[in-house]
DNA sequence: ATCGGCTCGCGCAA
DNA sequence: TGCGCGAAGCCGAT
């Protein structure tokens, strides 16, 4: 089939063919939990239009994945409510939100729904348990199954290379992005389904796997009844595509102009706050870029722009937007590039050679302080700035982007080994951060141990040639008065 | 306040 | 083969 979704974004997961005797196209939404600007949903809609079928959208939330908690459940459920609203009364589409009530409750659901599908389309995502889950599912599904990449502007499988620095990846992007930007996801892919019959679910399926729609709206869902970690409480910020859009608009309206100068200042509130929404797929990079373009009256035109990897001057937007796009595109997609091409990207051994070597050489240096995971977790170290950052993470599910670096550097300094430091960072980040369990969780954590960085002298205890940071210097440099007050306990 | 040295790997010019 | 340059650093010298 030749549709509008670029082939480079489509990965066949099995050798099966489409089944024209099916009743619908199944879209299994796992990572791009949105109904707009979504290549995977668009692909499902293309197949459906070809067969004259409707699309069945299955958005499931299981309860047994690592670090499942009230916090992540709440955020995902907010998103499901938005998707329910967005898809109800739309022709040609049926939305099935499913919330697993007990471990294993969802087992068999995908295969059951796939047994009546012509094609199964799902989201491609290069880390956490998703790649293994997709492979396992594809072997049990008897029709053609495809994973579609709607992660970012650069298709994650467009290169098999990894890049050792943001600089080299940026230079590559400056050459390769323009062609990919010619194909952007449709705003509303479901609109192709006018005239297609909305799939109807059988009583027996719904008896076994109840539709969670009423739980999402009128009845409400009691998280306390689910077997997930209740000690990680819901975050204050609301999840979902609507909240994401509101946050984007607020960012463009009052923060973007100050972004380049103030984004590293905790008290200035100039960061976008979009990363949790990006992580759960509640918003798309393409939509964000489109909104920036509209906001600035900018159109992509890269003719004659230097492709030397410089951080400014390539996009041709305002300086503020370029600073933001470097985060959103260069840095975010750098992490996806690593995850897509290095199956070991979560492991300590995936660090660059010079970093492994220098950390090894300093592995038996005495540590100035040693803390257990529990002391770190509660924010009870001797360092009030570090404690504040950890308390923000634990309480809000967010950690300030600059302080996150200091946070990780100090964990390296205060644990018995760099391997243990990585373990502590991964545990705390993935347990508490709304944007955890993401390719960029590992970029950020391993950056603290040398990934994407270069050696710095002079060699210091514990760190060796790894870039060193101190809380005192950080406090001197940053506006932190309100921040320290807010998270003082 | 600002500058250089610390140090590695890559792409590009030569 | 050499040169420039890079997520945000640190420290001591000027």
């Amino acid at each position: 089939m030749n549709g509008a979704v670029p082939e480079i974004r489509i990965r066949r997961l099995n050798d099966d063919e489409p089944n024209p005797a099916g009743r619908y196209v199944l879209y299994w939404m796992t990572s791009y939990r949105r109904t707009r600007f979504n290549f995977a949903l668009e692909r499902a809609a293309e197949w459906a239009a070809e067969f004259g079928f409707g699309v069945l959208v299955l958005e499931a939330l299981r309860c047994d994945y690592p670090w499942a908690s009230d916090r992540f459940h709440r955020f995902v459920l907010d998103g499901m409510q938005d998707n329910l609203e967005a898809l109800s009364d739309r022709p040609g589409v049926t939305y099935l939100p499913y919330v697993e009530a007990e471990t294993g409750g969802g087992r068999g659901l995908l295969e059951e729904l796939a047994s009546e599908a012509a094609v199964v389309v799902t989201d491609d995502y290069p880390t956490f348990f998703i790649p293994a889950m997709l492979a396992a599912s594809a072997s049990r599904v008897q029709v053609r199954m495809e994973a579609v990449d709607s992660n970012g502007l650069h298709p994650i499988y467009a290169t098999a290379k990894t890049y050792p620095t943001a600089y080299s990846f940026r230079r590559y992007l400056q050459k390769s992005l323009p062609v990919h930007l010619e194909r952007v996801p449709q705003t509303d892919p479901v609109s192709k389904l006018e005239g297609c019959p909305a799939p109807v679910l059988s009583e027996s399926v719904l008896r076994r796997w109840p539709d969670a729609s009423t739980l999402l709206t009128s009845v409400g869902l009691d998280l306390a009844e689910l077997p997930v970690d209740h000690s990680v409480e819901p975050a204050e910020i609301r999840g979902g595509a609507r909240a994401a859009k509101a946050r984007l608009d607020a960012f463009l309206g009052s923060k973007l102009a100050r972004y380049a100068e103030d984004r590293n200042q905790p008290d200035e509130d100039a960061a976008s706050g979009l990363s949790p929404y990006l992580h759960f797929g509640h918003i798309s990079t393409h939509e964000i870029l489109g909104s920036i373009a509209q906001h600035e009256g900018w159109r992509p035109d890269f003719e004659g722009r230097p492709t030397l990897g410089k951080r400014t001057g390539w996009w041709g937007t305002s300086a503020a937007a370029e600073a933001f796009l470097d985060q959103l595109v260069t840095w975010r997609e750098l992490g996806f590039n690593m995850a897509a091409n290095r199956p070991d990207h979560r492991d300590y051994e995936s660090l660059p050679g010079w970093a492994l070597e220098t950390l090894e050489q300093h592995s038996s240096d005495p540590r100035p302080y040693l803390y257990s995971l529990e002391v770190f977790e509660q924010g009870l170290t001797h360092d009030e700035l570090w404690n504040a950052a950890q308390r923000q993470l634990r309480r809000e599910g967010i950690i300030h982007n600059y302080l996150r670096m200091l946070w990780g550097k100090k964990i390296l300094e205060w644990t018995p080994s760099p391997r243990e430091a990585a373990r502590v960072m991964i545990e705390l980040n993935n347990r508490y951060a709304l944007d955890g369990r993401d390719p960029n969780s590992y970029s950020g954590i391993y950056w603290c141990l040398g990934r994407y960085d270069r050696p710095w002298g002079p060699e210091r205890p514990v760190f060796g040639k790894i870039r060193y940071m101190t809380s005192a210097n950080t406090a001197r440099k940053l506006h932190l008065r309100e921040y320290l007050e807010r998270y003082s306990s």
Side-chain angles (χ1 to χ4, degrees):
Chain A
M1 184 185 72
N2 288 313
V5 175
E7 290 292 325
I8 192 81
R9 292 183 181 270
I10 301 167
R11 189 163 64 92
R12 278 188 74 161
L13 295 175
N14 59 20
D15 294 327
D16 297 302
E17 293 305 320
N19 174 20
R23 292 198 294 125
Y24 47 73
V25 170
L26 175 61
Y27 170 43
W28 181 27
M29 178 187 274
T30 58
S31 298
Y32 321 127
R33 294 174 177 266
R34 61 178 180 265
T35 61
R36 294 153 56 88
F37 302 98
N38 179 343
F39 277 127
L41 177 55
E42 184 175 326
R43 176 70 174 178
E46 278 173 7
W47 277 115
E50 181 167 306
F51 286 107
F53 294 160
V55 172
L56 173 59
V57 176
L58 167 65
E59 184 176 7
L61 176 56
R62 51 193 282 192
C63 59
D64 65 338
Y65 65 87
W67 298 292
S69 65
D70 288 6
R71 176 167 298 174
F72 307 138
H73 257 60
R74 181 73 267 152
F75 206 83
V76 170
L77 289 163
D78 290 344
M80 289 168 97
Q81 198 177 326
D82 290 352
N83 290 338
L84 174 65
E85 269 173 44
L87 294 179
S88 58
D89 306 324
R90 296 297 302 272
V93 61
T94 299
Y95 177 65
L96 175 60
Y98 171 71
V99 180
E100 197 177 54
E102 68 221 347
T103 301
R107 205 167 290 154
L109 172 57
L110 181 74
E111 293 93 302
E112 178 67 30
L113 296 178
S115 71
E116 295 194 273
V119 178
V120 179
V121 177
T122 191
D123 302 333
D124 215 345
Y125 192 75
T127 195
F128 203 33
F129 63 89
I130 308 291
M133 180 178 77
L134 295 187
S137 305
S139 68
R140 292 195 300 265
V141 163
Q142 308 294 315
V143 294
R144 179 166 176 150
M145 183 163 171
E146 299 174 341
V148 177
D149 163 19
S150 204
N151 287 301
L153 303 186
H154 175 261
I156 60 175
Y157 295 114
T159 175
K161 269 187 65 166
T162 58
Y163 292 82
T165 61
Y167 173 67
S168 59
F169 185 62
R170 190 182 297 111
R171 181 156 44 187
Y172 161 73
L173 283 182
Q174 290 172 348
K175 290 174 189 153
S176 63
L177 267 189
V179 66
H180 297 303
L181 285 173
E182 288 167 15
R183 292 282 218 24
V184 302
Q186 293 172 357
T187 305
D188 182 25
V190 165
S191 63
K192 295 200 240 297
L193 300 172
E194 299 264 356
C196 298
V200 178
L201 289 156
S202 74
E203 283 300 318
S204 67
V205 165
L206 290 174
R207 232 184 341 264
R208 209 165 144 204
W209 296 286
D211 181 338
S213 294
T214 49
L215 291 176
L216 295 173
T217 50
S218 46
V219 179
L221 188 141
D222 188 3
L223 290 171
E225 288 178 5
L226 300 179
V228 298
D229 185 349
H230 305 303
S231 72
V232 181
E233 294 170 10
E236 230 168 85
I237 63 165
R238 192 190 154 81
R242 282 164 61 121
K245 181 71 167 71
R247 192 155 282 254
L248 171 60
D249 291 342
F251 173 65
L252 295 178
S254 67
K255 299 179 184 179
L256 176 62
R258 297 182 287 125
Y259 185 81
E261 302 81 57
D262 291 342
R263 64 176 295 267
N264 285 338
Q265 297 295 350
D267 283 354
E268 304 300 337
D269 190 28
S272 76
L274 287 170
S275 92
Y277 301 97
L278 285 161
H279 170 72
F280 287 103
H282 289 158
I283 198 164
S284 121
T285 308
H286 284 96
E287 176 173 15
I288 296 170
L289 179 65
S291 295
I292 291 172
Q294 194 170 22
H295 184 74
E296 303 206 334
W298 171 87
R299 298 183 71 84
D301 176 13
F302 306 104
E303 238 356 85
R305 291 265 161 67
T307 56
L308 296 166
K310 292 246 181 271
R311 265 179 302 207
T312 54
W314 184 75
W315 290 96
T317 59
S318 69
E322 287 195 339
F324 178 66
L325 290 170
D326 200 48
Q327 300 302 313
L328 179 71
V329 184
T330 310
W331 278 96
R332 178 167 178 272
E333 301 194 15
L334 178 62
F336 280 82
N337 167 260
M338 179 66 74
N341 293 302
R342 287 286 300 261
D344 65 344
H345 63 277
R346 293 185 288 173
D347 303 337
Y348 175 77
E349 289 73 19
S350 67
L351 284 170
W354 70 266
L356 290 172
E357 195 179 323
T358 194
L359 287 169
E360 171 62 28
Q361 274 170 13
H362 291 268
S363 60
S364 43
D365 292 355
R367 271 59 178 164
Y369 300 89
L370 281 175
Y371 296 114
S372 64
L373 176 64
E374 290 68 31
V375 172
F376 280 125
E377 186 162 31
Q378 301 304 316
L380 297 174
T381 74
H382 66 285
D383 183 327
E384 275 314 305
L385 179 50
W386 192 93
N387 293 344
Q390 170 61 25
R391 289 190 193 113
Q392 181 193 22
L393 172 63
R394 190 154 59 93
R395 197 182 306 165
E396 297 182 358
I398 287 166
I399 184 167
H400 188 271
N401 52 54
Y402 190 97
L403 295 177
R404 180 177 239 155
M405 297 188 285
L406 178 70
W407 175 87
K409 294 287 184 185
K410 295 292 124 180
I411 292 174
L412 168 61
E413 195 173 0
W414 303 335
T415 44
S417 70
R419 215 177 274 274
E420 173 67 5
R423 194 185 73 85
V424 169
M425 282 189 262
I426 290 168
E427 175 63 25
L428 294 180
N429 179 76
N430 286 356
R431 185 164 150 87
Y432 291 107
L434 285 165
D435 65 1
R437 309 155 312 282
D438 186 278
N440 288 294
S441 300
Y442 300 97
S443 304
I445 286 165
Y446 285 120
W447 180 84
C448 297
L449 305 183
R451 176 172 293 167
Y452 300 132
D453 207 4
R454 66 182 190 277
W456 292 86
E459 271 190 71
R460 287 164 208 282
V462 185
F463 285 81
K465 298 170 187 167
I466 304 291
R467 184 195 299 252
Y468 180 70
M469 291 175 83
T470 69
S471 299
N473 276 337
T474 305
R476 209 168 298 134
K477 227 166 7 187
L478 299 188
H479 308 162
L480 282 167
R481 210 169 47 86
E482 287 171 44
Y483 187 88
L484 287 171
E485 209 166 299
R486 192 172 323 134
Y487 305 109
S488 63
S489 59

